[in-house]
Amino acid sequence: MEKFSNEVWVFVEQRSGKPAEVSFELLSKGRKLAEILKGTLKAVVIGSEMHKVARQTFQYGAKECLLVDHPELKDYKTVPYSRVMIELVSKYIPRVVLYGASFIGRDLAPRVASYTRSGLTADCTDLQISDLTYLRKDYKDLLLQIRPAFGGNIIATIITPDVPIQMATVREGVMENVPLDTAVKGKIVEIPYTPDKIDKMINIIEKYQEENKVNLKSAPIIVAGGYGMGSKENFGVLHELAHVIGGEVAGSRAAVDAGFIPHERQVGQTGVTVRPKLYVACGISGAIQHRAGMQNSNKIIAINNDPEAPIFDVCHYGIVGNVMDVIPDFIEAYKHKLK
Amino acid sequence: MSYRSIVLVKQVPDTANISGQVMKPDGTVNRAMLPAIFNPEDKVALELALQTRDKFGGEVIALTMGPPKASELLRECLYMGADKVILISDRKFAGADTLATSYVLSEAIKKIGSFDMIFAGRQAIDGDTAQVGPQTAEKLELPQVTYTEKIVDINKNKITIRRRIDGGHEVLESPLPLLITVIKDAAIPRPFRATRVMAYKNARSLVELEKMVEGNSLLYIEDLKDEYIAKSLFIETLTMDELSVEAERCGLQGSPTKVYKIDSVVLGGGKHIKIEPTKEGLGQLVDKLMVDHIFG
């Protein structure tokens, strides 16, 4: 059997020099994977004046941070970033490479996977390391890349058994952010960057980016509506409930696609993953992709007029009834008890 | 100045309407069991390519890889206004993941020859990976712009594109050629034009003509093909033999990602507390949530 490396790499993404939350979540997960592999966690930081961010990765257990620091790498651009990443990955052949499933990660990772002919699985909801037998061949320490597929009717476990590099993207919020109490004694390895004229083929001539105003991830209470709400107007009762009990309003992908609620408020596999104290699911059937984004909530209330809806399998309190009748009564009961 | 565009399109199972017996034992999908539709964002990509042609002139070629059934999708591209459509179809290409798919697509594109732009949907609804576009660009050593919201302008050899990024957008300027993936909001696909439906409803790919020949000893494939070419109703079909591809990089064999197992989503039977949808019931719920320290 071929001898592969046991390094776990995390691509640390930054926007205007600020590291993305998802990168720390991936470092936290990557540390656990590296432990099982008896290997090393390494971070890759690309940008300009990123030494501080590079040191931050030690707080998450990165033994080494590969730092590519150059003024021309300040903003993410496909060609230079993928060129740098391809060079590093081809040289060191890490066993696992993780990227955030963000606009940047989903633009970058496929190019690196394509060049290095590695396996890449998008939007994983879980990652594990396991020995297994596939087509009568035994494999040791493979990365199991787990994600819902096919409209959420199935959960697929993807493996990349015969290639040295296994890559995956993961959405923000899916993994937990767990810094170490004491940072490890890590090492920054500076990698020189040599600009190439192809790096300047595409120029950014305008950029508009704002901090996410909607912060579902830190909301203690979330009131979410699905396609079953029927209309944008009907979402009014959810806004009212959220206002009364002090929460944020969110929606399922179906509700977002129907235009009931904006995309930045989407909870689920392709939206935000949340773990609030209370999650109220209204008119949400509970497809696996949605559940992937909310099932770790502390308490879940499900309101749906279909008693067979899968959402009732993950809730703590289930109400079979019409949302438009139940919510106003719920608001009244709340006001009555807590006035 | 006119531009030549290639649009990558895919026929996908309508994932909103899936029934039970669609997975094969090897974990791949039995597409024959499912209603097949035009991948929504690919349709937007075609529309954007057609708009570009209508404005600047040029040609739009739709390209798909899939089973013979995917010819249906190419007819729909013709109904919308594509100038030319090409089917890549071979049993040896089946079971391809994004890496093997992008490899075959890039080889087919090399065969088509020169182009100014490649359009594709951001992602397909069956896998939601968004990988085939960037991987095809990488293989052709092209720059890429993903998440395109709008083509702001094309001026000679330079294109200006607005794309979505986390929490906003950016405007990029790129030389041609390049690959663009588009999001749903970029354009509204035009309906099929009745005259084009009449003109192209009998367009057939080679694999479809072969099927017609199968049950009919009076038909010869070469004659039939010539007849369809003469009537401009032949959908060009590329098999493995026509492409200079390495077999071990195609199909299931060329796919590093393998489906190890498929778990159907098991429903737990619901061990939750049932609350009556009445004022009393909801009052009790509020009490419970106070006990849980969520309220109060």
Side-chain angles (χ1 to χ4, degrees):
Chain A
M1 192 174 164
E2 276 178 85
K3 182 76 186 134
F4 294 128
S5 112
N6 54 6
E7 290 187 4
V8 177
W9 284 20
V10 172
F11 169 74
V12 177
E13 136 179 11
Q14 51 91 11
R15 298 161 206 167
S16 313
K18 223 180 123 212
E21 176 84 12
V22 66
S23 303
F24 294 127
E25 295 164 3
L26 291 179
L27 284 166
S28 308
K29 182 69 184 183
R31 185 173 73 226
K32 285 183 203 150
L33 298 177
E35 272 166 28
I36 302 168
L37 285 172
K38 299 185 185 62
T40 317
L41 176 67
K42 290 188 181 178
V44 182
V45 174
I46 306 174
S48 175
E49 296 175 34
M50 299 298 294
H51 284 80
K52 193 171 152 237
V53 174
R55 282 193 298 275
Q56 265 179 289
T57 66
F58 304 147
Q59 194 67 50
Y60 287 84
K63 298 263 167 57
E64 207 172 288
C65 177
L66 305 174
L67 174 63
V68 191
D69 205 282
H70 194 281
E72 282 177 26
L73 295 171
K74 186 169 175 287
D75 290 307
Y76 174 78
K77 292 205 294 182
T78 309
V79 173
Y81 270 63
S82 56
R83 210 166 60 77
V84 166
M85 200 64 192
I86 283 170
E87 217 167 276
L88 289 173
V89 170
S90 306
K91 185 172 171 193
Y92 296 103
I93 324 271
R95 190 73 181 108
V96 174
V97 186
L98 306 179
Y99 307 78
S102 60
F103 284 76
I104 289 176
R106 282 160 66 94
D107 189 74
L108 171 69
R111 282 189 85 106
V112 182
S114 173
Y115 184 88
T116 58
R117 299 190 198 171
S118 309
L120 172 62
T121 303
D123 292 336
C124 294
T125 50
D126 193 11
L127 297 169
Q128 296 169 8
I129 301 279
S130 176
D131 296 344
L132 55 85
T133 308
Y134 178 71
L135 300 180
R136 274 169 279 157
K137 216 174 137 187
D138 292 327
Y139 293 91
K140 211 175 142 37
D141 289 338
L142 278 191
L143 181 69
L144 307 189
Q145 301 145 50
I146 299 159
R147 73 185 304 252
F150 252 72
N153 292 262
I154 53 168
I155 296 177
T157 301
I158 312 289
I159 51 171
T160 44
D162 297 308
V163 289
I165 308 167
Q166 314 168 90
M167 299 196 188
T169 70
V170 179
R171 295 257 163 187
E172 180 175 317
V174 171
M175 305 298 173
E176 273 185 285
N177 183 335
V178 196
L180 294 169
D181 294 332
T182 5
V184 298
K185 224 172 121 44
K187 175 170 84 172
I188 293 178
V189 179
E190 299 231 25
I191 312 279
Y193 164 72
T194 325
D196 188 298
K197 69 174 195 298
I198 63 164
D199 295 352
K200 288 186 175 171
M201 277 202 321
I202 294 192
N203 292 307
I204 303 171
I205 56 173
E206 184 191 315
K207 190 168 187 152
Y208 170 80
Q209 201 166 18
E210 56 184 32
E211 287 286 307
N212 214 344
K213 277 191 199 132
V214 186
N215 196 346
L216 287 181
K217 271 178 71 186
S218 58
I221 295 177
I222 291 174
V223 179
Y227 191 70
M229 291 302 296
S231 70
K232 194 174 177 174
E233 289 66 41
N234 286 353
F235 258 71
V237 297
L238 304 187
H239 287 282
E240 196 187 335
L241 175 63
H243 178 72
V244 172
I245 64 177
E248 288 281 352
V249 179
S252 67
R253 179 173 178 167
V256 170
D257 286 348
F260 298 167
I261 185 153
H263 176 77
E264 60 267 26
R265 291 184 181 271
Q266 183 187 321
V267 167
Q269 189 201 4
T270 55
V272 186
T273 299
V274 295
R275 295 183 175 83
K277 270 201 310 185
L278 177 66
Y279 191 90
V280 189
C282 308
I284 292 177
S285 63
I288 180 74
Q289 288 100 328
H290 186 74
R291 303 205 313 258
M294 48 66 78
Q295 61 196 3
N296 293 324
S297 304
N298 190 335
K299 284 283 183 278
I300 298 166
I301 300 174
I303 309 169
N304 203 303
N305 55 17
D306 174 10
E308 303 293 318
I311 192 73
F312 287 117
D313 291 300
V314 293
C315 76
H316 303 93
Y317 301 110
I319 306 169
V320 178
N322 184 345
V323 175
M324 298 310 288
D325 299 331
V326 172
I327 300 281
D329 286 347
F330 186 41
I331 293 171
E332 199 180 302
Y334 178 86
K335 283 183 173 163
H336 180 73
K337 301 267 180 185
L338 283 108
K339 68 177 168 212
Chain B
M1 190 165 169
S2 63
Y3 301 98
R4 193 170 196 228
S5 299
I6 296 171
V7 188
L8 307 179
V9 292
K10 185 182 186 187
Q11 193 178 41
V12 291
D14 190 355
T15 47
N17 297 298
I18 287 184
S19 59
Q21 305 299 314
V22 298
M23 305 305 295
K24 288 192 259 184
D26 67 353
T28 55
V29 176
N30 188 355
R31 285 166 196 269
M33 300 284 287
L34 286 168
I37 59 167
F38 202 137
N39 181 50
E41 286 181 330
D42 295 350
K43 207 170 186 178
V44 177
L46 175 58
E47 174 60 33
L48 212 54
L50 292 172
Q51 286 178 11
T52 306
R53 179 201 62 190
D54 296 346
K55 195 167 166 191
F56 299 97
E59 187 187 16
V60 173
I61 303 166
L63 177 66
T64 194
M65 179 168 99
K69 189 176 157 62
S71 314
E72 293 166 1
L73 173 75
L74 293 176
R75 278 190 285 278
E76 292 187 14
C77 294
L78 289 167
Y79 301 161
M80 276 176 70
D83 299 291
K84 191 178 167 189
V85 295
I86 301 172
L87 174 69
I88 307 168
S89 193
D90 199 307
R91 277 177 195 282
K92 298 186 194 88
F93 296 152
D97 71 359
T98 64
L99 190 78
T101 301
S102 61
Y103 171 62
V104 175
L105 287 175
S106 64
E107 289 303 321
I109 291 166
K110 284 178 192 166
K111 199 178 161 67
I112 292 171
S114 72
F115 57 85
D116 301 293
M117 286 163 260
I118 300 174
F119 290 84
R122 169 192 52 156
Q123 63 190 36
I125 58 168
D126 53 350
D128 285 333
T129 71
Q131 286 168 196
V132 169
Q135 292 189 319
T136 305
E138 190 282 322
K139 292 201 154 49
L140 294 166
E141 296 180 29
L142 286 179
Q144 73 195 31
V145 176
T146 53
Y147 297 95
T148 295
E149 284 181 336
K150 192 184 174 185
I151 294 178
V152 181
D153 192 27
I154 309 175
N155 191 351
K156 294 200 182 96
N157 200 29
K158 194 179 266 181
I159 185 166
T160 312
I161 295 172
R162 195 174 80 191
R163 72 183 288 258
R164 189 169 292 173
I165 54 174
D166 283 295
H169 66 258
E170 63 186 7
V171 180
L172 303 176
E173 215 171 58
S174 170
L176 301 174
L178 87 168
L179 184 143
I180 298 167
T181 76
V182 308
I183 57 172
K184 205 172 56 185
D185 304 338
I188 298 166
R190 63 193 65 187
F192 301 156
R193 275 178 47 198
T195 49
R196 292 190 69 93
V197 175
M198 293 310 289
Y200 291 110
K201 64 180 183 193
N202 292 320
R204 292 291 178 270
S205 60
L206 185 64
V207 273
E208 288 176 309
L209 294 182
E210 281 168 352
K211 259 208 182 116
M212 287 164 69
V213 174
E214 259 171 38
N216 191 334
S217 56
L218 298 174
L219 287 176
Y220 294 96
I221 187 67
E222 284 310 319
D223 297 346
L224 200 60
K225 188 179 156 186
D226 289 343
E227 186 191 326
Y228 273 76
I229 291 172
K231 288 193 286 189
S232 301
L233 290 175
F234 182 66
I235 296 177
E236 190 183 336
T237 311
L238 299 173
T239 63
M240 190 181 259
D241 294 338
E242 274 97 18
L243 295 171
S244 45
V245 291
E246 298 163 39
E248 66 275 12
R249 291 181 68 186
C250 301
L252 200 58
Q253 196 191 355
S255 301
T257 57
K258 313 282 182 196
V259 179
Y260 173 57
K261 64 176 177 155
I262 294 288
D263 295 308
S264 49
V265 176
V266 183
L267 299 177
K271 289 179 292 258
H272 61 271
I273 298 167
K274 288 190 175 61
I275 304 289
E276 288 306 314
T278 58
K279 287 196 168 62
E280 298 72 45
L282 292 162
Q284 287 160 13
L285 175 61
V286 173
D287 289 339
K288 286 182 199 300
L289 292 168
M290 286 168 73
V291 174
D292 291 342
H293 299 289
I294 293 189
F295 289 159

